[in-house]
Amino acid sequence: MRDLTPVELVVLAALSDRARYGYELVQRIGELTDGRVRMRPGNLYRVIQRLMERGLVNERSPGGRGEDERRRYFRATAAGCRVAAEELAMYGRVLERSRGLKERLADG
Amino acid sequence: MADGGVRGSPVWRLLRLLFPAGYREEWADEVLRTHVDAAGGERTARGAAFWGGLALDAMKTAVALRLEAMAGVDSGRRSRRSMFDAMSYTMRMALRGLVRTPGFSLSVVLTLALGLGANVTIFTALDRLFLQAPAHVAAAESVRRIAVYGINPFSRQQTYNRAMTYPDYRDLQTVSGFASVAGHTARSLTLGQGLESERINTEWATASYFPLLGVQPALGRFYDTSEDGVGVEPVVVLSWSFWRRRYNGDPAILGMALTIGKGTYTVIGVAPRGFTGVDMAPVDAWLPLHTAGGLHQGGDWMEARSWYWFAAIARLSTSVAEAASEAEATAVYRNGRKDVGGTDPAARIATTPLIAARGPQPSGEARVTQLLGMVALLVLLIACANVANLFLARGLQRRRALAVQSALGVGRARLVGQLLSEAVLLAAAAGALAFLIAALISPALFRVLLGDNAVLAAGTGRVLSFTIVLAVLTVLMGGVGPALQAARVDPFEALRTQRSSSRSSWLRGVLVAVQAALSVVLLIGAGLFLRSLAQAHRIDLGVDLDAIVIGLELNDGTIFGENIVGTTYTVVERTRAHPAVASATLTNLAPFSGAWGITLDRPGPDSVAVGPRGPFYHAADRDYFRTLGMSITHGRALNEADEHAGAQPVVVVSRSMAREVWGSESAALDQCLIVRPSATNSTCTTVVGVVSDVRAQVTDAEPRMLYYLTTRHPNVTADGGQVVMVRLREGAESQIRSLLQAIRETAGNIRYVDATPLRSSIDQQLRAWRLGAVLLTAFGLLALAVAGSGLYSVLAFDVAQRRFELGIRSALGASSRRLIRTVVTRTLLVIAVGMAVGVASAAGLSRLIASLLFNVEPVDPLAYIIATLVLGAGALLAAGVPAWRATRVDPRTAMAVE
């Protein structure tokens, strides 16, 4: 399994807790990244398509409470959640072990 | 479907096509829906920002997807890194290729930059005129300009008229569909005294104006209703730029007293930067409309339903549909005017867009700009054709290289990718250059288009997006075809011979013809505008435009009528005595700067209705008609005796008024006219003469009905001011300064004097044609230059390609003339075909601009002939150099190369 790109990782993270549709996803990504990552819809669906082909995300027909019949909902699969978690954990360890980076972070 | 409207839009249907088929079917609808969501739903998802963002996204995504596919990345299998590598490798290759052929690269970049630059510049103007609401207006979409739509009693045409009378405005305030109504009018007034004085642009606005627009002051406050009344303590709000310019932005300006016009106003606020009210003309100060009206208007301005002197705007109520508001306003309007003569009973109130250019009667400038937008696109098309040609030629030159690559197994997709990368790089460079060109040119264009002080507030983001979108489109138009063609190379055929295939030379011929056709269209357009301008200059307005208008402001109020002050006569006498002056006359308003209507009556059953075309009056004296070069057709002119106190009141009427009111010119003589009839006033003013007509505007189909009362006529007031009109002696133009000085010294109570040629007020009316003429000519020549360079490069390339053949011909003894003919004939034939197509298209297209032309038929032979000749000359010039070079081919070197 190849590594995830940062954008793919963020999309997976945004889809890990519950199913979301396009604009919800854009907003959630904004929340997760303090507004640093603003995804263009066209690009978003490119990424989703790629993740779906890899089995990391699947589409779910709407039916949950408050969900809109006309929208398409996406959610990270178990594999997607696992890959994302592993990747993030790996980044966490890298950060933990890079003293220079940690100090910078602490300096704020 | 929530987004049905946006989804059905043709723009979206086009944008969808950008995506590769698979992605389109699967995701395009989702992309749109997400954009609509992001914009806050279907109702708010529109406008330039929305579509611009969507278009940009679609293009970026489409490019990324295609690059992905082109780099052979099967999504998800290979890493993005390798795709990025492939892309950057292709780009580097392309860049290297371009650097190796600087001539080609430079000519493509320049040609494209000119084409793009023209478009970006015009877009900047279009953006300002058509897309941006006036600055600082909150929720501009619910603000409307109020107009009366009805039959003009004199032109007999349905028109929108924004001029409003005060009582009509008062009635409209009761309309429940209008959350708020405000009145405004622009006036030029004098600020200060004597040598310190200055003419400033004031806008009289009701207290409701600022809250209606939702604008907030930068300093201090705006006035409220209690401060906007007749006779109340006058207050003024300054514009930001005026405050900065005249008072260095000093906050201590608040509370200061300024003498403006006839009042002393206390400064209470400064408007925010860039705010110019609802119009684009610069404003220096806002005065309360009622206060200023009370001080300056005089007479029965609050009651006269024949006194059209300001415009009204409204903010629509959210609870009433716009059509219902219009209907209600119309009912109120008709009810108010049911007893007013000259009112069109079918006239209705129309709420028209705040952005004036989108309204029912856009200004000439707006329409010319719109036309220029189309013209700029034509220039871009020419540039594209030219670039396509250059690419084709380049593709031919590189056939061997491409053939080798192809033989080595490089896929076609890869080859196309490589060629397209070149196009993308060139377009990016051209786009950047175009953006710079536009940034440099647009301020100048704005001055030309919108006048000296037009506020330049272009939305840079939008202009940038527009540039990018256009550059991408250009690449698609100019680069894809040639790339596909070049990649469709047959290695065997290409390696065998150097000669171009007949198919591509045919295509290049078509591209040259297209350029010629489009250039002819533009040149003909320029010719039509030049002819219109010439025609407009030729029109006889009925007065001598060489007259000079001397604006005069006295400290003591009324100078006309029974209370006319001595100073005025002294001024006129001094002026007449000045050596530079042939004749001088005193009047209230110069021609072309408006005229006043007052109620009129004549003995008999019916009064004389005053409509938008008159009858209006001018104050005049014995030298009026002579100074303005008008001629008496019946009876006599005014004379000195008429100006004496106690003289029998007399009037001279214009021919059109005589015919309209009394049936014929001779019938008007000795008739009685009652000016401002009332219970106490039934004095007869006797018609003593009939004078030639004057047009108020160049475009007026019919002259205005005018009448001329003596300056001492008891019912004349100084409405609007006083001017001395002067006709100078031959060659005395340089003495105007000394004349003004002499007038200033006449008396201490002269507050302000200035001189403007009467012709300048006509220049304003000729602006649209002058603009069209100047800008279309510029664009026409630009197109000619681009097309000429295109033709040149095609021929130069041909000559280079055919060196071998030409060398042989020359060796066999062909004369220079014959060689030239070999090279040039076919191309000139192609151009002739192009010109014929261009002329035919122009004949069709010019009907579209017929309404912008003046007294010129859309198929004006002279314009067509001249345009054709200009293009022909350009083509010969462009063909000359390569042709000459063909005669210089040395047979030995030519054959050695092959």
Side-chain angles (χ1 to χ4, degrees), chain A residues 2 5 21-23 26 40-43 45-46 48-50 52-54 70-72 74, chain B residues 2 23 26-27 30-31 33-35 37-38 57 60-61 64-65 68 75-76 78-80:
Chain A
R2 76 172 172 97
T5 67
Y21 66 88
Y23 183 53
V26 172
R40 290 177 285 108
N43 195 34
Y45 290 108
R46 247 180 80 217
I48 288 182
Q49 175 169 319
R50 268 203 317 258
M52 284 173 70
E53 282 167 5
R54 290 170 62 184
R70 294 163 304 188
R71 302 187 188 283
R72 296 174 63 174
F74 306 94
Chain B
Y23 184 91
E26 187 67 24
W27 302 112
E30 286 302 304
V31 171
R33 202 191 316 266
T34 308
H35 271 281
D37 284 345
D57 183 17
K60 282 188 191 163
T61 306
L65 284 166
E68 227 169 37
S75 57
R78 277 195 237 165
S79 75
R80 281 173 60 97

Side-chain angles (χ1 to χ4, degrees), chain B residues 700-765:
Chain B
D700 273 359
E702 286 170 55
R704 277 193 170 173
M705 300 199 283
L706 295 171
Y707 57 104
Y708 302 88
L709 299 168
T710 61
T711 45
R712 198 186 279 277
H713 190 282
N715 300 108
V716 168
T717 56
D719 303 331
Q722 51 270 327
V723 293
V724 176
M725 304 281 309
V726 169
R727 182 203 283 264
L728 294 174
R729 286 187 200 284
E730 205 80 32
E733 287 77 11
S734 58
Q735 296 183 46
I736 291 183
R737 210 164 240 294
S738 99
L739 173 61
L740 289 185
Q741 192 57 37
I743 294 175
R744 215 186 263 278
E745 284 162 7
T746 310
N749 62 347
I750 293 180
R751 182 160 162 208
Y752 183 84
V753 179
D754 70 354
T756 44
L758 185 55
R759 193 177 296 283
S760 67
S761 43
I762 287 303
D763 285 347
Q764 195 55 35
Q765 299 184 17

